[in-house]
Amino acid sequence: MVRGTLDGTVYVADTNNYTIRSITPAGVVATLAGRSGVGGKSDAKGDQARLGRVYGLAAGSDGNLHLADSDFDTIRRVTRDGVVTTIAGSGLVGAADGQASAASFSGPIGIAVDAQGNVYVGDVGNHSIRKISPAGSVATLAGRAGSQGATDGIGAAARFSAPAGLALDTSGNLYVADTLTDTIKKVTPDGVVTTIAGRAFYLGSTDGTGTAALFNQPAGIALDRSGNIYVSEMGNRTIRKIAPTGVVTTLVGSASSRGVQLGPIPGSLGGPQGIAFLPGPTNRLVEVDTENVVLTIDIH
């Protein structure tokens, strides 16, 4: 996954290299943490740290990165100078709520951080949304471990199926790319879950409003300052836009095309995964593609 920061630096979870990379606005790439080709779960600084396959990362208001380490079922933190610490998870697969290392996760992927420092995790193997307080206490916000589905509801009554992508709005609402139900869901701060776009278990590429639109394996999700939602779809190889009115349109790529084609929108994509909105005066998305490239997309 990928995240942009206020200074224009882009951070990328280089999953299969077991590293976190940074890209400056000038295009200079550096490794912030981990060592290429060497996986592990050691907390340390820079290339002395060891990471598993990290799929999700999010930047907090303090500039620190938070990582969903799927291999070791933990949530890690990386400071601006590359110091890695484990903030939650025992390293063993499970679904236990509790304090820091007493809690357990199962294949966490999605991650987001709010202005208060709460960390939200798409716990894919448990089909649930977890919340980590600034003090390190882990609780299940929505969904129930071991119960997969698509039901809207409150807290444990709601159901998800591989909630892989997470993004927060300024009111603290969480938006979820629920990959296996092919839907986009909204979770309020008190755990009320509703489906805002897509029809559960009906995959497709149809544009439309709300549940009239169809998705195919949505993976990444991002919001802009106007409340538009952007979704990267692995199955359709597209980026979709959901307006505040609920209208879904295809912004980049074509569901019938594969391969990275640069140039004017719509272009084409190979396999879009992570997506983030870059802070700044212009509307720019950054996308990590399975073709091993990082793309910027200017939205006019």
Side-chain angles (χ1 to χ4, degrees):
M1 296 292 188
V2 61
R3 282 295 180 268
T5 57
L6 290 173
D7 65 359
T9 301
V10 174
Y11 292 94
V12 179
D14 195 359
T15 304
N16 290 326
N17 277 329
Y18 309 108
T19 56
I20 304 300
R21 316 284 291 278
S22 64
I23 308 172
T24 70
V28 177
V29 180
T31 300
L32 176 67
R35 181 176 295 178
S36 181
V38 184
K41 57 178 181 178
S42 301
D43 289 345
K45 183 176 181 179
D47 65 0
Q48 298 303 303
R50 296 291 178 266
L51 304 170
R53 284 177 293 179
V54 175
Y55 288 98
L57 81 167
S61 58
D62 57 4
N64 293 324
L65 297 174
H66 295 76
L67 317 177
D69 192 332
S70 299
D71 273 356
F72 297 105
D73 303 296
T74 53
I75 308 303
R76 320 281 292 274
R77 178 184 289 129
V78 184
T79 64
R80 298 185 203 191
D81 55 354
V83 176
V84 178
T85 54
T86 300
I87 64 169
S90 63
L92 301 175
V93 175
D97 290 337
Q99 186 68 29
S101 62
S104 54
F105 299 85
S106 178
I109 290 182
I111 194 163
V113 185
D114 68 18
Q116 291 72 46
N118 296 294
V119 180
Y120 298 85
V121 179
D123 199 6
V124 168
N126 284 323
H127 306 294
S128 59
I129 306 298
R130 315 288 292 281
K131 180 180 179 180
I132 309 170
S133 73
S137 178
V138 180
T140 301
L141 176 65
R144 179 176 293 174
S147 296
Q148 182 178 354
T151 307
D152 291 344
I154 302 174
R159 295 290 180 269
F160 298 88
S161 294
L166 304 184
L168 283 159
D169 67 15
T170 55
S171 299
N173 297 303
L174 192 67
Y175 295 85
V176 180
D178 200 31
T179 304
L180 296 184
T181 65
D182 304 301
T183 59
I184 308 304
K185 293 180 173 265
K186 176 182 176 181
V187 186
T188 67
D190 52 356
V192 178
V193 178
T194 54
T195 300
I196 63 168
R199 188 182 305 172
F201 304 115
Y202 283 82
L203 63 84
S205 59
T206 304
D207 290 338
T209 301
T211 57
L214 298 179
F215 294 84
N216 187 351
Q217 293 184 319
I221 192 164
L223 277 75
D224 69 13
R225 294 176 296 274
S226 301
N228 296 296
I229 302 168
Y230 300 87
V231 179
S232 58
E233 289 182 284
M234 292 186 295
N236 283 329
R237 305 182 184 96
T238 58
I239 293 174
R240 314 285 289 280
K241 176 182 176 181
I242 308 173
T245 58
V247 176
V248 179
T249 54
T250 301
L251 181 67
V252 181
S254 169
S256 61
S257 299
R258 180 175 183 175
V260 176
Q261 178 184 332
L262 304 180
I265 291 175
S268 63
L269 303 172
Q273 290 189 326
I275 188 172
F277 212 86
L278 291 177
T282 59
N283 287 339
R284 300 183 73 199
L285 285 168
V286 60
E287 181 259 324
V288 173
D289 201 280
T290 54
E291 300 291 332
N292 296 318
V293 293
V294 179
L295 305 174
T296 58
I297 302 164
D298 292 315
I299 302 168
H300 302 290

